[in-house]
Amino acid sequence: MANEAVKYVWEGAIPLQIHLHKSDVASHPAPPPALVLAPRIGYLPLLIPLIKPYFKDSLPPGEDSIWFDYKGVPLKWYIPTGVLFDLLCAEPERPWNLTVHFRGYPSNILIPCEGEDSVKWNFVNSLKEAQYIINGNCKNVMNMSQSDQEDLWTSVMNGDLDAYTKLSPKLKMATIEDDFSRKASLSSPQSRQGVTETDVAGQVKTARIPVRLYVRSINQDFKNLEDVPEIDTWDDISYLNRPVEFLREEGKCFTLRNAIESLLPEFIGDRAQTSGEERSRDDDNTEEADGLLREMGEIKLARIQGIEMKLEIPFSWVVNNLMNPEFYLHISVLVKAPQR
Amino acid sequence: MNSGREVSDGRLTVEGFSVAARAFADKWKIHNQSFPPWSWVPLINRTLHLSNQEEGYLSLEEILILSSLEESPEDESLNVATDCLEKEESVDHTILVQNQENEAHYYDFHIVYSSSYKVPVLYFRGYCSGGQPLSLDVIKKDLPSCSVSLLHESKWTFITQEEHPYLNRPWFKLHPCGTEDWIKLLSQSSISTGCQMPVDLYLVSWFSVVGQVVGLRIPLEMLN
């Protein structure tokens, strides 16, 4: 039985208002935009069967090669929809206005997409990579029967958490547990009984967690999120596909902040204090600490599954509750660049 | 964490990759002078304007490739002809012989470290002199025929089009599946102390296999 948080994650959705690009409009008047509710854990190409009927009468003759853009930025179709939204809309825009194109695929920028097959391939590949990171090998995914793999993918496509929960134990993904997490495992209790060999790593001192970190940086402080400048290209974003080494130390909580900082060591530097309270208590060092902060830069915002995370949250809880179905944790981060 | 001096499980740490990369580039420069040298590209975090000298990837770019109509069976490597005018031209190491389509094909190769799999991965792309990317079908025509059949038959080596991990563009990637297994096999056959392989030799050994898939061979001297 899945826990509450995972249910919310699976039910999360973004209202989209999808406009047909004017160069693809061959009818008069131009068709109105399509309103679609997109699952956060889903992918844009999977919405095409929903979207196309709205526009098919307006399209010029020829073959379709479908892609989306947000304010001119072509959207990478293999990134889950919720992650794209969290990353590209500093101030959440509801509905999210996207443009769909049926022609002129920018193949010099975007890798090709042949509909559902491409998305599925990408999903399975990411799942293998995540399993390799967590378990040290991807044999469980590789050994999964074709029909089980199909069913797993279908459960993700349909947002069917119950079906997914029945199948995911076959992956035998190791879990992380520490004193700060609920002892909620990624696989269901009953499946454990069937496991004869110890594929599950169980409690380990260090574990590797699959993380995809998307970093946007700004140079100045902002009062409101709507003041954050927009992205012009993907080059404005730093993308890190890198596992976090989860460290378990006696009595210390490994937080989300620790996890993010471990991926951006050159940015954060050696910081002794981790909380605002500690800084203000130490009057002598306050000014010095502020000066240091200004130089080092700061994490202004970290979003996972649309939630603005408190950085001191135990990372184990985040991992056990907010991962995507392919076992990756996608974290969108807004940082203030170090002042030089 | 081991010192990174030796590899025993077929996998590399990120520090080990840095060491192995420099060793590989140095040996290549000495023993493979018919090619330009590999360069180390440090990772620059664009948004944070910080460069991390310790992490990066190896790059070999603008290799002029030609495919001849007749292939000599002994030499199953790309026909990158050595330039007999090399002494006069200080920059250009390669000379072009027209390929089948009478078009210059250029290739870029990047050796990138995968933190997920802890092994190196080869990315490459081909393009015309105008910069237009070459499709995989066209690229396969440039590869020696044994490479193409290797790709078809082997489940360990296949090429997919994926986004370059750092450049936001589609590149071709040679899949790392099973890398650590055959690296271990290579270590077993060459070193007497179990499966230990000195880090310096990792990329040389790796490339001796992987390079062949894309038609790039390395001279045997590099393996010493």
Side-chain angles (χ1 to χ4, degrees):
Chain A
M1 196 182 60
N3 63 41
E4 274 308 295
V6 176
K7 271 208 300 199
Y8 278 116
V9 166
W10 276 63
E11 287 168 7
I14 317 275
L16 303 180
Q17 183 163 240
I18 301 184
H19 308 256
L20 182 63
H21 191 259
K22 56 184 194 287
S23 65
D24 289 347
V25 177
S27 69
H28 188 73
L35 294 170
V36 176
L37 197 60
R40 275 189 157 273
I41 58 168
Y43 302 85
L44 289 173
L46 299 179
L47 301 174
I48 290 168
L50 290 177
I51 296 169
K52 186 154 178 200
Y54 280 90
F55 300 126
K56 64 176 166 48
D57 296 332
S58 308
L59 295 176
E63 262 188 51
D64 296 338
S65 55
I66 303 176
W67 57 286
F68 297 83
D69 83 70
Y70 175 58
K71 298 200 168 164
V73 179
L75 296 182
K76 299 186 182 187
W77 54 263
Y78 52 86
I79 297 181
T81 309
V83 179
L84 287 171
F85 181 66
D86 291 342
L87 178 62
L88 299 175
C89 276
E91 172 69 33
E93 189 186 298
R94 291 188 182 94
W96 193 24
N97 286 286
L98 297 183
T99 304
V100 67
H101 304 250
F102 285 78
R103 305 282 182 273
Y105 197 91
S107 50
N108 58 331
I109 300 177
L110 290 182
I111 52 176
C113 180
E114 258 104 67
E116 188 202 314
D117 280 341
S118 300
V119 185
K120 179 170 103 180
W121 189 91
N122 165 70
F123 175 83
V124 174
N125 231 40
S126 300
L127 182 62
K128 282 186 194 159
E129 194 177 340
Q131 172 150 98
Y132 193 91
I133 293 169
I134 294 173
N135 284 0
N137 63 72
C138 42
K139 60 182 181 192
N140 296 333
V141 178
M142 307 282 268
N143 291 340
M144 235 186 166
S145 72
Q146 195 61 22
S147 66
D148 279 344
Q149 258 194 40
E150 278 297 322
D151 291 344
L152 187 73
W153 166 243
T154 307
S155 73
V156 175
M157 257 208 312
N158 297 337
D160 186 347
L161 180 56
D162 289 334
Y164 178 83
T165 310
K166 289 196 184 78
L167 285 160
S168 59
K170 299 195 181 193
L171 296 168
K172 298 182 209 152
M173 290 286 200
T175 64
I176 57 160
E177 290 170 9
D178 63 6
D179 297 332
F180 303 94
S181 68
R182 279 181 46 185
K183 294 206 189 279
S185 81
L186 296 168
S187 49
S188 69
Q190 46 265 48
S191 72
R192 300 274 197 135
Q193 292 154 14
V195 178
T196 48
E197 50 174 31
T198 43
D199 274 340
V200 181
Q203 286 206 16
V204 285
K205 275 245 140 54
T206 63
R208 297 210 306 156
I209 307 297
V211 169
R212 288 183 170 159
L213 191 71
Y214 309 82
V215 187
R216 287 183 60 179
S217 103
I218 42 158
N219 290 316
Q220 297 154 324
D221 257 316
F222 51 87
K223 284 245 154 43
N224 302 307
L225 285 174
E226 49 202 22
D227 298 331
V228 172
E230 272 159 21
I231 290 182
D232 292 321
T233 91
W234 285 98
D235 293 340
D236 291 341
I237 293 171
S238 274
Y239 168 63
L240 284 174
N241 177 24
R242 194 168 291 203
V244 164
E245 304 270 347
F246 182 94
L247 292 171
R248 193 173 302 111
E249 285 173 69
E250 229 14 81
K252 259 174 142 188
C253 177
F254 189 76
T255 63
L256 176 61
R257 183 191 295 277
N258 295 143
I260 296 175
E261 288 183 355
S262 74
L263 293 178
L264 302 172
E266 69 274 13
F267 163 59
I268 302 298
D270 236 1
R271 194 201 307 222
Q273 299 113 334
T274 51
S275 74
E277 290 100 51
E278 282 180 4
R279 275 203 302 281
S280 55
R281 241 183 275 140
D282 206 341
D283 290 325
D284 295 334
N285 290 343
T286 305
E287 267 181 45
E288 196 182 287
D290 280 348
L292 264 174
L293 267 180
R294 243 180 277 123
E295 269 179 37
M296 283 191 299
E298 230 180 301
I299 302 171
K300 301 298 285 185
L301 185 62
R303 268 191 199 135
I304 305 176
Q305 303 294 359
I307 306 165
E308 286 179 23
M309 308 293 299
K310 284 192 157 41
L311 294 174
E312 313 314 321
I313 191 170
F315 189 59
S316 54
W317 187 91
V318 177
V319 172
N320 289 333
N321 291 281
L322 300 183
M323 274 188 163
N324 274 53
E326 79 283 6
F327 287 88
Y328 257 98
L329 197 61
H330 298 258
I331 309 177
S332 299
V333 180
L334 186 61
V335 301
K336 188 166 132 229
Q339 308 301 307
R340 301 257 140 178
Chain B
M1 204 87 237
N2 66 25
S3 65
R5 293 223 153 271
E6 267 155 0
V7 174
S8 52
D9 62 353
R11 307 196 295 177
L12 272 179
T13 59
V14 63
E15 298 85 8
F17 175 76
S18 269
V19 171
R22 287 172 215 271
F24 174 76
D26 289 343
K27 283 179 186 265
W28 177 281
K29 203 166 182 174
I30 296 170
H31 298 292
N32 216 358
Q33 295 188 350
S34 58
F35 279 86
W38 289 81
S39 48
W40 175 254
V41 180
L43 284 190
I44 294 179
N45 187 322
R46 270 179 237 97
T47 58
L48 305 177
H49 314 294
L50 291 168
S51 124
N52 182 351
Q53 285 291 331
E54 294 316 306
E55 288 187 45
Y57 57 88
L58 281 172
S59 161
L60 185 66
E61 295 190 352
E62 288 179 29
I63 300 300
L64 237 32
I65 299 302
L66 49 95
S67 53
S68 61
L69 295 168
E70 283 166 38
E71 259 179 41
S72 54
E74 324 88 59
D75 187 14
E76 295 287 10
S77 53
L78 288 172
N79 285 323
V80 181
T82 47
D83 186 0
C84 55
L85 302 169
E86 197 174 325
K87 314 262 184 306
E88 292 155 45
E89 285 194 46
S90 53
V91 175
D92 207 356
H93 295 253
T94 56
I95 213 176
L96 172 67
V97 172
Q98 292 296 321
N99 60 32
Q100 285 182 334
E101 282 124 7
N102 275 344
E103 216 172 40
H105 288 174
Y106 293 81
Y107 284 82
D108 295 342
F109 299 93
H110 287 180
I111 302 178
V112 185
Y113 178 70
S114 162
S115 352
S116 307
Y117 291 100
K118 295 194 162 182
V119 292
V121 182
L122 183 70
Y123 286 85
F124 64 94
R125 62 176 191 141
Y127 47 99
C128 308
S129 45
Q132 308 94 298
L134 302 176
S135 71
L136 190 57
D137 289 332
V138 171
I139 291 177
K140 279 184 178 170
K141 292 204 195 102
D142 283 342
L143 297 180
S145 55
C146 68
S147 290
V148 181
S149 46
L150 183 71
L151 288 169
H152 280 307
E153 292 158 26
S154 172
K155 56 174 178 163
W156 302 119
T157 51
F158 54 97
I159 293 176
T160 53
Q161 193 169 24
E162 284 182 35
E163 194 170 286
H164 190 288
Y166 303 111
L167 300 180
N168 289 322
R169 288 289 182 279
W171 280 59
F172 290 103
K173 169 179 164 182
L174 197 59
H175 264 253
C177 210
T179 296
E180 76 275 19
D181 294 327
W182 53 259
I183 289 278
K184 272 196 281 195
L185 287 175
L186 286 178
S187 339
Q188 275 167 347
S189 58
S190 60
I191 313 283
S192 54
T193 56
C195 298
Q196 301 284 335
M197 175 191 286
V199 165
D200 307 36
L201 286 182
Y202 187 103
L203 273 181
V204 180
S205 309
W206 175 83
F207 199 81
S208 68
V209 177
V210 165
Q212 285 186 59
V213 179
V214 291
L216 290 174
R217 301 181 82 211
I218 57 174
L220 287 170
E221 297 83 28
M222 276 183 71
L223 291 165
N224 294 336

